[in-house]
Amino acid sequence: MSYSHNTMGSGSRTARRTFDFGRTHVVRPKGKHQATIVWLHGLGDNGSSWSQLLESLPLPNIKWICPTAPTRPVALLGGFPYTAWFDVSELSENGPDDWEGLDASAAHIANLLSTEPCDVKVGIGGFSMGAAMALYSATAFALGRYGNGNPYNINLRAIVGLSGWLPGSRCYVSRCLRNKIEVSHEAARRAASLPIMLGHGTCDDVVPYKHGEISAHSLNVAGFRNLTFKNYEGIGHYTIPKEMNEVCNWLTARLGLEG
């Protein structure tokens, strides 16, 4: 599926960026279908690898949708093409963010959830850049709109972010996001009601642990009160069975899943 976004170039000319998303892998629920979660892979990965792990989890009532990001030049990796939900040049508090890419991917994810039955709870989870994308979607849900102003219409019920970060500089997150949420009663209500679980290894050398801490703090300050942050001592940029077990227990409790 392709998404086109317009960006203003020199003079009155308008440039179009088209994002071609890769293959989507679906893991059907083995029991009663109670929830659907879109799970997002990290930079350079694809939906297939995560679908195999998710299928093995003891969560028979969840349908997993595992899309594949577009292949695009990534500034952080010298401009070479990789599967990526958005472009990233550096992981820092003041690094620029690809808001157009973030919006395009968030819209693609929302579209995947838009056809789920109304009695099925929906959520978004991810690892590394996928976690960043999930957290960006959480802010769009709270504000009721994407960064470009288009309405966000998916009623998210859970967010999981492993070894990731919240896109946007600390200035944007702590001030702009908080201010936007505080001035809207509905935005504040949605932010406070959305369960979020974050997990991060203390020895992560790809997305340093401090980014996980800063993200958790910034979200909490912005009004996301229903947030759980778990650290994993001595763990690097990968998941471990203990972390995935805690994800399973957390999802079961927060989504009210059977057995």
Side-chain angles (χ1 to χ4, degrees), residues 5 98-108 133 136 140 146-149:
H5 283 242
D98 175 19
W99 301 112
E100 185 183 7
L102 284 160
D103 278 341
S105 289
H108 179 69
M133 199 64 244
Y136 181 73
Y146 298 94
N148 59 21

Side-chain angles (χ1 to χ4, degrees), residues 43-68:
L43 176 62
D45 203 353
N46 58 67
S48 175
S49 60
W50 274 98
S51 68
Q52 297 170 42
L53 170 62
L54 296 170
E55 189 170 17
S56 70
L57 298 180
L59 293 169
N61 305 115
I62 292 182
K63 171 185 173 182
W64 300 95
I65 301 177
C66 304
T68 299

Side-chain angles (χ1 to χ4, degrees), residues 7-53:
T7 55
M8 295 306 296
S10 59
S12 61
R13 297 174 60 189
T14 301
R16 294 179 66 86
R17 287 178 64 190
T18 300
F19 303 93
D20 295 311
F21 291 84
R23 182 180 174 187
T24 296
H25 301 261
V26 177
V27 178
R28 304 289 176 184
K30 299 179 179 67
K32 180 183 178 182
H33 184 195
Q34 294 181 287
T36 295
I37 295 178
V38 171
W39 190 272
L40 307 169
H41 63 76
L43 176 62
D45 203 353
N46 58 67
S48 175
S49 60
W50 274 98
S51 68
Q52 297 170 42
L53 170 62

Side-chain angles (χ1 to χ4, degrees), residues 133-146:
M133 199 64 244
L135 294 181
Y136 181 73
S137 295
T139 65
F141 162 72
L143 294 170
R145 63 184 185 275
Y146 298 94

Side-chain angles (χ1 to χ4, degrees), residues 82-218:
Y82 289 85
T83 51
W85 300 109
F86 53 94
D87 190 19
V88 58
S89 58
E90 59 177 311
L91 286 181
S92 73
E93 295 166 11
N94 298 310
D97 285 283
D98 175 19
W99 301 112
E100 185 183 7
L102 284 160
D103 278 341
S105 289
H108 179 69
I109 296 158
N111 185 59
L112 292 173
L113 290 170
S114 65
T115 56
E116 291 303 293
C118 59
D119 62 337
V120 169
K121 299 171 183 176
V122 300
I124 303 173
F127 175 79
S128 193
M129 177 179 272
M133 199 64 244
L135 294 181
Y136 181 73
S137 295
T139 65
F141 162 72
L143 294 170
R145 63 184 185 275
Y146 298 94
N148 59 21
N150 292 338
Y152 187 91
N153 298 317
I154 303 300
N155 183 24
L156 296 178
R157 301 295 293 274
I159 296 289
V160 178
L162 308 180
S163 305
W165 72 96
L166 176 63
S169 67
R170 177 184 285 186
C171 173
Y172 167 78
V173 172
S174 63
R175 288 210 294 269
C176 300
L177 178 61
R178 181 179 61 189
N179 291 344
K180 288 178 181 178
I181 289 176
E182 285 180 344
V183 298
S184 166
H185 175 75
E186 273 302 300
R189 182 190 63 79
R190 285 192 292 264
S193 66
L194 180 62
I196 299 176
M197 176 183 172
L198 302 181
H200 217 113
T202 60
C203 293
D204 192 329
D205 59 352
V206 177
V207 180
Y209 176 73
K210 70 172 184 177
H211 290 293
E213 280 191 316
I214 290 171
S215 298
H217 174 73
S218 297

